[in-house]
């Protein structure tokens, strides 16, 4: 056995003095007899070593986290600076948009949507022409490629400024011209311009939408446009346009050719004073003069585009009470064809039925009249072609038809059904031009044309 002193010293040793009694009782202390017969006590101490390696690892992790926090804080500072720049740019952009929206020269999203719609229609037209002609000509592939390119340009330039819009419309007009040529080859074979060796209108082509009016405003829904039906030499390509936001007109703009019309670059503007203000929208240009309706006094008026001189003639029988169905004040409707110059109106004597009158261009007077059997107020509009008056009416929101014809050569009238599509529901001006055998329509602020196909048989 171990001497008593040795046991006491062992018990008082710092290494074991603090061990709980429970550890002793639970077998943390054991004894054995050595080789010399002495008593040996075995004490198993708990793991009380301080985890210095773990603390060091945590310190290193903490340092890494602090570095990352500093990096993210620096990024936040940078983002804050960029955000201030973006906010300033956004404010500047808001101001630019406000200025653009308030400008009379501004354009609207409808322009680009219209371009997309028209491009899709042209793509369908190319496919239709290719199928109807059963042709695999490279021209169709070329046109299809141009349509795809124009679609990409529209998408890219939608957010650009006004000058780019004019550029795309110019390119669009050139593409449209090619498509019209293809359509003419399919719809009209060798048109006999200036002659009337046919039995009347056979069909009207699909509408060709040129563009929104020169004011670039859909509110200018009343007006007219087209070409001189009897142009002076050197003015064969001239176009005219006049419109307002009421059934009236205060000015007529002249464009030297089709490209200038598209670019809205007028070479001359005739402003109308209050004493010569135009009323109604069924005016035309014929022989370098604008013929339009004037209400004080109620008369047909002539404006010479060269001298800017005015003249007027009162038609005693004409009434200001009867108008076309689409809008008010469309009382005197002027038209020109291969035969000459005409005016259509209704009178109290005819009880609202249309009267057709031939105008003597030299005397600016009425030389002949015909009473027809169609009521003016049920008609959408009317025009003359080869001495025959054709009257239109609405079929539904998207379609119109020529339903009546009166032949001045025979005095006969006919009920017809020649349908054609409208671009939009209402229009204020429709007239035929004998120089290219086209119908010119001013449809709710847009320039629209149609090819006219005559029955050669």
């Amino acid at each position: 056995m171990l001497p008593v002193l040795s046991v006491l010293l062992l018990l008082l040793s710092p290494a074991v003095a603090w061990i709980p009694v429970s550890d002793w009782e639970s077998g943390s202390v054991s004894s054995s007899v050595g080789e010399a017969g002495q008593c040996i006590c075995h004490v198993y101490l708990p793991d009380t070593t301080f985890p210095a390696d773990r603390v060091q690892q945590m310190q290193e992790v903490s340092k890494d986290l602090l570095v990352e926090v500093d990096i993210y804080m620096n990024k936040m500072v940078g983002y804050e600076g960029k955000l201030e720049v973006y906010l300033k740019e956004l404010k500047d952009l808001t101001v630019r948009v406000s200025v653009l929206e308030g400008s009379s020269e501004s354009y609207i999203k409808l322009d680009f949507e219209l371009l997309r719609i028209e491009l899709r229609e042209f793509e369908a037209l190319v496919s239709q022409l290719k199928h109807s002609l059963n042709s695999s000509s490279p021209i169709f592939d070329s046109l299809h490629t141009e349509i795809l390119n124009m679609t990409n340009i529209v998408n890219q330039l939608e957010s650009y400024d006004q000058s780019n819009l004019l550029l795309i419309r110019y390119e669009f007009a050139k593409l449209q011209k090619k498509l019209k040529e293809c359509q003419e080859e399919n719809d009209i074979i060798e048109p006999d311009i200036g002659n009337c060796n046919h039995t009347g209108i056979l069909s009207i082509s699909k509408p060709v939408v040129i563009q929104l009016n020169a004011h670039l405003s859909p509110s200018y829904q009343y007006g007219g446009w087209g070409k001189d039906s009897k142009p002076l030499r050197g003015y064969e390509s001239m176009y005219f346009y006049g419109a307002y936001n009421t059934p009236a007109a205060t000015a007529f703009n002249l464009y030297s050719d089709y490209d200038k019309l598209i670019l809205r670059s007028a070479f001359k503007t005739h402003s109308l004073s209050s004493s010569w203000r135009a009323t109604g929208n069924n005016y035309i240009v014929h022989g370098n003069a604008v013929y339009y309706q004037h209400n004080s006094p109620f008369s047909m008026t002539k404006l010479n585009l060269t001298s800017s001189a005015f003249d007027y003639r009162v038609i005693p029988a004409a009434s200001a009470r009867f108008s076309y169905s689409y809008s008010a004040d469309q009382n005197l409707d002027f038209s020109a064809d291969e035969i000459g110059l005409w005016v259509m109106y209704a009178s109290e004597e005819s009880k609202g039925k249309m009267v057709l009158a031939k105008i003597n261009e030299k005397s600016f007077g009425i030389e002949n009249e015909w009473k027809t059997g169609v009521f003016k107020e049920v008609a959408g509009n009317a025009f003359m072609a080869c001495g025959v008056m054709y009257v239109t009416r609405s079929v539904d929101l998207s379609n119109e038809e020529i339903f009546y014809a009166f032949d001045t050569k025979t005095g006969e009238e006919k009920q017809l059904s020649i349908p054609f599509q409208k671009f939009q529901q209402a229009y204020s001006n429709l007239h035929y031009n004998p120089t290219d055998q086209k119908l010119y329509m001013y449809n709710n602020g847009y320039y629209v044309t149609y090819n006219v196909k005559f029955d050669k048989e």
Side-chain angles (χ1 to χ4, degrees):
M1 297 294 292
L2 188 66
V4 175
L5 180 59
S6 299
V7 173
L8 290 175
L9 290 174
L10 180 61
L11 293 175
L12 294 175
S13 173
V16 298
W18 55 273
I19 300 176
V21 175
S22 59
D23 288 343
W24 288 73
E25 293 177 350
S26 60
S28 297
V29 179
S30 60
S31 61
S32 62
V33 178
E35 295 178 356
Q38 73 274 21
C39 181
I40 301 174
C41 293
H42 302 278
V43 180
Y44 299 94
L45 298 178
D47 185 9
T48 57
T49 306
F50 186 78
D53 55 340
R54 297 183 183 179
V55 172
Q56 183 178 2
Q57 181 181 1
M58 290 298 297
Q59 288 178 340
E60 293 176 355
V61 172
S62 299
K63 289 180 181 179
D64 293 339
L65 288 175
L66 288 174
V67 172
E68 290 187 14
V69 169
D70 289 338
I71 293 175
Y72 285 119
M73 288 297 294
N74 292 334
K75 287 184 178 180
M76 291 298 293
V77 173
Y79 291 154
E80 183 179 3
K82 290 182 180 180
L83 182 60
E84 292 179 356
V85 174
Y86 292 153
L87 287 174
K88 184 177 183 302
E89 292 180 355
L90 181 60
K91 291 180 180 179
D92 295 340
L93 180 60
T94 303
V95 173
R96 290 179 59 193
V97 170
S98 300
V99 172
L100 183 60
E101 288 179 342
S103 172
S104 61
E105 297 295 322
S106 64
Y107 55 93
I108 57 176
K109 187 175 182 180
L110 178 61
D111 290 331
F112 292 99
E113 293 301 324
L114 173 63
L115 285 173
R116 291 191 181 95
I117 292 172
E118 292 172 354
L119 284 169
R120 287 196 294 268
E121 291 178 350
F122 289 156
E123 185 175 8
L125 175 60
V126 170
S127 299
Q128 180 182 356
L129 289 174
K130 185 176 181 179
H131 177 73
S132 61
L133 295 176
N134 194 21
S135 172
S136 59
S137 172
I139 188 173
F140 291 105
D141 296 331
S142 175
L143 286 171
H144 189 265
T145 300
E146 289 192 49
I147 290 172
L148 294 179
N149 291 337
M150 285 298 297
T151 302
N152 292 332
I153 293 175
V154 169
N155 294 332
Q156 292 173 2
L157 296 185
E158 183 171 3
S159 61
Y160 287 10
D161 56 21
Q162 184 67 36
S163 61
N164 284 320
L165 177 62
L166 297 179
L167 174 61
I168 190 173
R169 287 210 172 277
Y170 179 77
E171 296 297 329
F172 182 81
K174 293 197 300 184
L175 172 61
Q176 190 178 55
K177 187 175 180 180
K178 292 182 180 181
L179 289 169
K180 290 200 304 183
E181 292 173 354
C182 289
Q183 189 177 23
E184 288 172 358
E185 290 178 2
N186 190 39
D187 289 345
I188 303 177
I189 301 175
E190 297 181 357
D192 198 3
I193 303 295
N195 295 320
C196 296
N197 53 347
H198 53 74
T199 59
I201 294 178
L202 179 63
S203 63
I204 305 296
S205 73
K206 291 184 177 181
V208 177
V209 183
I210 307 302
Q211 70 169 31
L212 188 64
N213 59 68
H215 290 91
L216 295 179
S217 173
S219 65
Y220 282 69
Q221 56 183 306
Y222 301 99
W225 79 292
K227 297 176 65 177
D228 192 328
S229 54
K230 187 182 177 181
L232 299 180
R233 181 174 296 179
Y235 290 87
E236 293 85 356
S237 299
M238 185 184 73
Y239 285 80
F240 73 91
Y241 157 73
Y244 204 57
N245 52 13
T246 62
T250 59
F252 295 106
N253 300 316
L254 304 179
Y255 307 88
S256 58
D257 53 35
Y258 184 84
D259 290 343
K260 291 297 189 293
L261 172 74
I262 298 300
L263 294 174
R264 304 183 300 115
S265 179
F267 74 87
K268 192 172 186 179
T269 297
H270 289 273
S271 298
L272 305 180
S273 64
S274 57
S275 58
W276 291 104
R277 191 67 50 85
T279 304
N281 308 118
N282 288 285
Y283 37 77
I284 62 168
V285 174
H286 181 76
N288 199 48
V290 182
Y291 291 85
Y292 66 92
Q293 175 183 320
H294 183 225
N295 270 11
S296 185
F298 179 67
S299 59
M300 56 180 187
T301 303
K302 175 182 178 181
L303 166 62
N304 188 296
L305 295 178
T306 301
S307 64
S308 299
F310 291 88
D311 196 5
Y312 74 94
R313 293 290 186 275
V314 174
I315 305 176
S319 172
R321 190 163 68 93
F322 305 101
S323 180
Y324 288 134
S325 61
Y326 287 122
S327 62
D329 300 321
Q330 313 296 326
N331 309 116
L332 301 180
D333 183 6
F334 296 90
S335 186
D337 63 0
E338 293 82 358
I339 307 300
L341 183 62
W342 312 81
V343 62
M344 295 165 282
Y345 56 90
S347 66
E348 299 294 338
E349 180 185 358
S350 69
K351 295 181 175 57
K353 291 183 178 180
M354 293 183 65
V355 177
L356 173 62
K358 182 73 164 56
I359 299 175
N360 187 304
E361 296 180 43
K362 291 184 178 180
S363 64
F364 192 29
I366 302 300
E367 64 180 43
N368 206 347
E369 288 183 343
W370 294 264
K371 294 181 180 180
T372 73
V374 60
F375 288 95
K376 183 172 185 179
E377 291 183 321
V378 303
N381 217 291
F383 61 89
M384 298 294 298
C386 287
V388 179
M389 182 182 75
Y390 294 93
V391 185
T392 70
R393 67 181 175 188
S394 176
V395 176
D396 52 42
L397 297 179
S398 303
N399 297 284
E400 195 89 350
E401 72 170 354
I402 299 174
F403 76 100
Y404 177 89
F406 183 90
D407 193 337
T408 59
K409 296 186 291 292
T410 63
E412 296 179 350
E413 55 185 356
K414 294 180 180 180
Q415 297 295 322
L416 304 174
S417 181
I418 304 176
F420 62 96
Q421 295 179 5
K422 289 183 290 188
F423 170 62
Q424 293 189 28
Q425 180 180 359
Y427 59 92
S428 59
N429 187 306
L430 178 69
H431 63 272
Y432 168 78
N433 194 306
T435 65
D436 54 14
Q437 292 186 346
K438 294 180 184 295
L439 289 178
Y440 289 81
M441 175 187 285
Y442 189 75
N443 188 321
N444 206 26
Y446 289 86
Y447 306 149
V448 183
T449 63
Y450 299 85
N451 293 321
V452 179
K453 187 174 184 178
F454 294 97
D455 190 353
K456 300 295 184 181
E457 299 177 357

